[in-house]
Amino acid sequence: NAGVTQTPKFRVLKTGQSMTLLCAQDMNHEYMYWYRQDPGMGLRLIHYSVGEGTTAKGEVPDGYNVSRLKKQNFLLGLESAAPSQTSVYFCASSYYSQGGSPLHFGNGTRLTVT
Amino acid sequence: AQSVTQLGSHVSVSEGALVLLRCNYSSSVPPYLFWYVQYPNQGLQLLLKYTTGATLVKGINGFEAEFKKSETSFHLTKPSAHMSDAAEYFCAVSNSGGSNYKLTFGKGTLLTVNP
C-alpha cells in the first residue's frame, strides 16, 4: 500500500517551459488536492477535486491547471513556468471532504524555475 | 474569515524536556483544529484533531493538545521530547464543518531536539 505517490521528486525548469506533476493514490479516496509550500508561508491550496472528472480552484490557482481523468490520479500542469512558481508541491487525498477527514500527503515535488 | 498564528517559527528543547508549541486561531464559528507534522523530505501527516466534544485531544507519538475556546488556542504539548520528534509542526483550522477546501495552515514551527 503506497498511499500517495508524487512524480517527479525534483525538477528544474527554465522560465516559459511547461511541465506536469503526477499524483497517484491507491486508497480509493474521492477527494484530492494540490498544495504549494513556501518558506514561512505554510501550505496554500492550489486546486482540488471532489471526484473523477471534477476540479475546482483553491486559494492560489493562477498559472496552474489540473485534471482528474481517473479517480486515482490528479495531474498539476504549469503551462508557462515563472520563477514565482519555484516551490515544493504536495499532493494530498482524503476519504471525505468534511468533518475533519485527515489529509494523506505525498512526499512532495521540489520545483525550481530559473 | 479564519486564520492561524503559530508563535515561534523555531523552538529548541533538550531531549527529555517538555515540548510546547503554540497555536492561536480566529474563527467566527466553532472551529475544527488540527496539528500536522512534517519530517524532513516527507509530506505532512496528521498528529491529532479537535472536532467536537472533549477539549483535550490525544494524538500519536505521545502528543496532545487542548482546545481552549476562551483563549482561542490549541497548543501542542508532549511531556518528554525525543530526538525523533525533530520536525516541522503545522497548526490548521477549518471553520466550515471541517472542510478540507477551507483549511488554513499556520506558517509552521520547526522543532529542534538537542541531546
Side-chain angles (χ1 to χ4, degrees):
Chain A
N1 188 345
V4 178
T5 303
Q6 291 184 233
T7 310
K9 290 182 171 56
F10 304 94
R11 186 71 187 268
V12 178
L13 288 180
K14 294 185 177 179
T15 299
Q17 288 184 320
S18 64
M19 77 163 293
T20 300
L21 307 184
L22 171 63
C23 176
Q25 53 96 2
D26 62 2
M27 295 173 284
N28 202 34
H29 286 170
E30 287 290 339
Y31 304 90
M32 297 187 74
Y33 316 81
W34 275 107
Y35 288 90
R36 59 177 290 171
Q37 183 181 33
D38 302 292
M41 298 284 289
L43 273 76
R44 292 180 291 169
L45 183 63
I46 304 171
H47 286 281
Y48 62 95
S49 168
V50 303
E52 182 177 316
T54 74
T55 64
K57 294 180 180 180
E59 180 187 355
V60 289
D62 293 343
Y64 305 95
N65 56 77
V66 287
S67 64
R68 183 108 180 263
L69 298 180
K70 293 184 179 181
K71 184 177 182 178
Q72 64 266 36
N73 295 336
F74 195 28
L75 306 180
L76 177 71
L78 287 73
E79 290 185 347
S80 179
S84 60
Q85 294 178 304
T86 293
S87 187
V88 181
Y89 291 86
F90 287 99
C91 176
S93 68
S94 65
Y95 193 74
Y96 298 110
S97 66
Q98 299 282 96
S101 182
L103 293 168
H104 296 260
F105 285 85
N107 286 339
T109 295
R110 186 174 296 274
L111 175 66
T112 302
V113 182
T114 62
Chain B
Q2 62 189 29
S3 66
V4 175
T5 302
Q6 291 185 240
L7 298 175
S9 59
H10 187 193
V11 170
S12 182
V13 301
S14 298
E15 192 173 19
L18 171 71
V19 176
L20 171 60
L21 304 182
R22 300 178 187 273
C23 173
N24 288 91
Y25 69 91
S26 69
S27 175
S28 56
V29 298
Y32 286 62
L33 295 159
F34 309 81
W35 276 100
Y36 280 84
V37 60
Q38 184 179 28
Y39 298 104
N41 299 314
Q42 295 186 25
L44 283 68
Q45 64 183 84
L46 183 67
L47 262 183
L48 49 79
K49 66 178 180 181
Y50 168 78
T51 55
T52 58
T55 56
L56 182 61
V57 180
K58 294 187 185 299
I60 61 172
N61 301 334
F63 283 93
E64 63 182 35
E66 186 171 11
F67 170 58
K68 291 188 176 180
K69 183 178 178 181
S70 61
E71 298 177 9
T72 60
S73 69
F74 191 57
H75 301 331
L76 181 70
T77 61
K78 182 175 180 178
S80 177
H82 191 273
M83 297 295 289
S84 61
D85 295 326
E88 190 157 20
Y89 293 79
F90 292 91
C91 182
V93 62
S94 174
N95 67 2
S96 301
S99 168
N100 285 332
Y101 319 142
K102 303 294 184 182
L103 195 60
T104 298
F105 285 89
K107 294 182 178 181
T109 298
L110 182 65
L111 176 67
T112 302
V113 182
N114 303 306

